[in-house]
C-alpha cells in the first residue's frame, strides 16, 4: 500500500463501530465498553486524550489511542500513555502503524509531552519489534500483578479495626498532603486528574481512603480497567497509593490493600496490576509482601 492512500485523522464518533470491529478481528474478543468510555472521556476532557484512526477510502484500517498524564512516572512533563493500538492484518508492515505513531508523536510534542509510555506482553514479538522500530526502549519500571484472593495476614493483625471508606472528591487536599510528603513533589494536577477519573470516568468506584483519629491516613486510587493495553477481560489497576508518614508501619497500607482485594473479588474482578519505578524499593517491597509478582508485560518508553 502507498502511504498516500491512507488518511490519518482524529477519532470521531462515526469511526467507533469500525474501530471496535477491527479490534475484535485482531484480539478475538470485543471491547466496546473500553472504546465507548474513551469516546465519552474525550468529549469531557479533550485535552487529556489523543486518539487517531487510519482509513483508506473511508474504511478504518488502524487506530491508536493515548492518555495524557501530568506527574505520572515521577516526571514534571506530561506523558502520553498508549493504551490501544491496532492495524488491519492486510496493512501491517505497510507503514500505517508508523503513520499513526508519527501523528501521535507530533501531537504529544505540541501538548508538551516529553515521553511516550506503553506496555506490551513479552510474547508479542511483532508488537515489540514495532515499538522498537518506533524508538521505544525498555523502561526502568516493574509491571506487577496478583489475583484478588484475600491478603495473607498474621492472625494477630488488627487491620480490620482501621476505618476504610470510598474515596470522595473532598479528600483531594488530604491526598495531596500525603503524596507531597512521600514524593517531595507537588503533583496537584496529576492527583486532581486521577481523582476526577476515578469518580467521573470509572463505571465502578474502587478507590478508597483509610482514616485514623478522624483524619485521612492513607489512600489507594484504583479503577476497574476494561480493555486497555489489549486486554479483553476486566482487570483492576492500582494507579497510586500512599500512607501519611506519621502512620507508616501502622498497617494502613495493608488495610487499604486488603479491602481493595475483598471489594474486587466481590465484583468478580480476578486480577489487579500496577506499575512501579524499579528503584522505589519500599513500594516494591510492600507490593511483594501483598502478593504482587512480575507480570508478563514489559514497560516501554520513548523520549520525544
Amino acid at each position: 500500500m502507498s502511504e498516500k492512500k491512507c488518511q490519518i485523522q482524529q477519532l470521531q464518533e462515526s469511526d467507533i463501530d469500525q474501530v471496535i470491529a477491527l479490534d475484535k478481528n485482531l484480539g478475538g474478543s470485543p471491547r466496546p465498553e473500553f472504546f465507548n468510555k474513551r469516546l465519552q472521556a474525550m468529549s469531557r476532557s479533550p485535552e487529556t486524550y489523543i486518539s487517531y484512526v487510519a482509513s483508506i477510502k473511508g474504511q478504518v484500517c488502524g487506530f491508536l489511542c493515548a492518555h495524557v498524564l501530568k506527574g505520572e512516572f515521577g516526571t514534571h512533563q506530561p506523558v502520553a500513555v498508549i493504551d490501544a493500538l491496532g492495524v488491519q492484518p492486510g496493512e501491517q508492515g505497510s507503514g500505517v502503524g508508523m503513520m499513526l505513531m508519527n501523528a501521535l508523536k507530533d501531537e504529544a510534542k505540541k501538548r508538551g509531552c516529553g515521553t511516550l509510555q506503553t506496555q506490551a506482553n513479552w510474547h508479542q514479538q511483532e508488537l515489540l519489534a514495532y515499538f522498537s522500530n518506533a524508538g521505544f526502549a525498555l523502561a526502568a519500571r516493574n509491571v506487577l500483578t496478583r489475583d484478588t484472593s484475600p491478603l495473607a495476614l498474621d492472625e494477630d493483625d488488627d487491620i480490620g479495626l482501621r476505618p476504610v471508606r470510598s474515596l470522595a472528591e473532598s479528600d483531594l487536599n488530604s491526598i495531596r498532603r500525603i503524596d507531597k510528603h512521600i514524593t517531595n513533589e507537588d503533583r496537584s494536577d496529576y492527583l486532581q486528574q486521577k481523582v476526577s477519573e476515578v469518580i467521573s470516568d470509572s463505571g465502578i468506584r474502587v478507590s478508597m481512603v483509610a482514616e485514623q483519629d478522624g483524619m485521612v491516613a492513607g489512600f489507594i486510587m484504583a479503577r476497574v480497567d476494561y480493555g486497555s493495553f489489549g486486554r479483553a477481560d476486566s482487570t483492576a489497576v492500582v494507579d497510586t497509593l500512599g500512607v501519611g508518614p506519621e502512620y507508616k508501619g501502622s498497617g494502613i497500607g495493608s488495610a487499604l490493600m486488603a479491602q481493595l482485594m475483598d471489594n474486587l473479588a466481590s465484583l468478580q474482578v480476578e486480577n489487579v496490576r500496577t506499575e512501579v519505578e524499579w528503584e522505589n524499593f519500599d513500594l516494591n517491597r510492600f507490593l511483594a509482601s501483598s502478593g504482587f509478582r512480575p507480570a508478563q508485560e514489559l514497560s516501554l518508553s520513548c523520549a520525544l
Side-chain angles (χ1 to χ4, degrees):
M1 183 211 73
S2 168
E3 290 187 7
K4 294 181 180 178
K5 296 181 181 179
C6 182
Q7 301 293 319
I8 305 296
Q9 61 190 31
Q10 292 188 2
L11 174 67
Q12 304 293 328
E13 186 174 1
S14 57
D15 301 317
I16 204 69
D17 288 340
Q18 290 190 64
V19 169
I20 291 171
L22 173 56
D23 181 69
K24 180 183 178 182
N25 183 40
L26 293 169
S29 299
R31 298 187 293 163
E33 184 165 3
F34 170 78
F35 289 105
N36 283 315
K37 283 176 67 66
R38 175 54 54 90
L39 199 64
Q40 294 167 11
M42 286 170 57
S43 177
R44 286 195 300 270
S45 305
E47 73 284 355
T48 306
Y49 299 93
I50 306 174
S51 298
Y52 287 106
V53 294
S55 60
I56 300 174
K57 296 181 179 180
Q59 296 298 308
V60 171
C61 62
F63 60 87
L64 188 154
C65 301
H67 188 178
V68 178
L69 294 171
K70 186 175 181 181
E72 186 88 330
F73 309 117
T75 177
H76 292 289
Q77 277 188 299
V79 173
V81 181
I82 299 170
D83 50 16
L85 167 68
V87 174
Q88 185 176 304
E91 301 299 338
Q92 292 177 9
S94 67
V96 170
M98 284 302 170
M99 291 176 70
L100 286 164
M101 183 63 72
N102 289 336
L104 170 63
K105 287 181 177 180
D106 289 343
E107 182 62 24
K109 287 178 183 177
K110 290 178 184 177
R111 300 196 190 188
C113 296
T115 310
L116 300 182
Q117 307 280 2
T118 194
Q119 292 178 15
N121 190 293
W122 76 279
H123 291 294
Q124 296 175 297
Q125 298 300 313
E126 291 183 359
L127 182 60
L128 290 171
Y130 164 76
F131 281 124
S132 178
N133 291 334
F136 284 75
L138 192 63
R141 291 190 301 279
N142 298 323
V143 183
L144 306 174
T145 187
R146 63 155 287 168
D147 61 25
T148 54
S149 59
L151 217 62
L153 301 169
D154 295 333
E155 291 184 2
D156 58 350
D157 201 313
D158 63 349
I159 64 170
L161 301 178
R162 295 170 180 80
V164 175
R165 61 168 173 80
S166 293
L167 182 149
E169 195 165 5
S170 58
D171 296 317
L172 179 58
N173 286 336
S174 296
I175 291 170
R176 282 173 175 159
R177 174 183 58 81
I178 293 170
D179 186 76
K180 190 170 184 178
H181 273 294
I182 296 169
T183 64
N184 292 317
E185 303 281 353
D186 183 357
R187 301 199 300 167
S188 294
D189 290 342
Y190 168 72
L191 294 170
Q192 174 70 70
Q193 184 175 339
K194 281 299 179 185
V195 169
S196 177
E197 285 177 5
V198 300
I199 291 176
S200 302
D201 294 348
S202 297
I204 302 173
R205 296 187 187 180
V206 292
S207 297
M208 295 173 292
V209 297
E211 295 182 320
Q212 192 154 314
D213 303 323
M215 301 285 291
V216 172
F219 66 91
I220 186 165
M221 281 199 248
R223 54 194 162 85
V224 177
D225 178 42
Y226 293 97
S228 68
F229 301 113
R231 298 177 180 86
D233 57 338
S234 59
T235 300
V237 180
V238 176
D239 286 316
T240 187
L241 60 93
V243 174
E246 63 271 37
Y247 300 109
K248 189 175 181 179
S250 66
I252 292 292
S254 294
L256 286 163
M257 191 64 73
Q259 189 62 57
L260 176 65
M261 295 305 148
D262 289 347
N263 291 355
L264 292 173
S266 69
L267 293 168
Q268 297 185 326
V269 176
E270 296 182 352
N271 294 288
V272 59
R273 61 182 169 84
T274 192
E275 191 170 347
V276 186
E277 296 287 340
W278 75 270
E279 71 270 24
N280 192 335
F281 303 119
D282 287 344
L283 183 53
N284 276 288
R285 188 181 303 110
F286 168 73
L287 291 169
S289 70
S290 299
F292 283 83
R293 296 294 181 265
Q296 296 299 303
E297 284 77 21
L298 301 175
S299 180
L300 307 173
S301 66
C302 174
L304 295 177

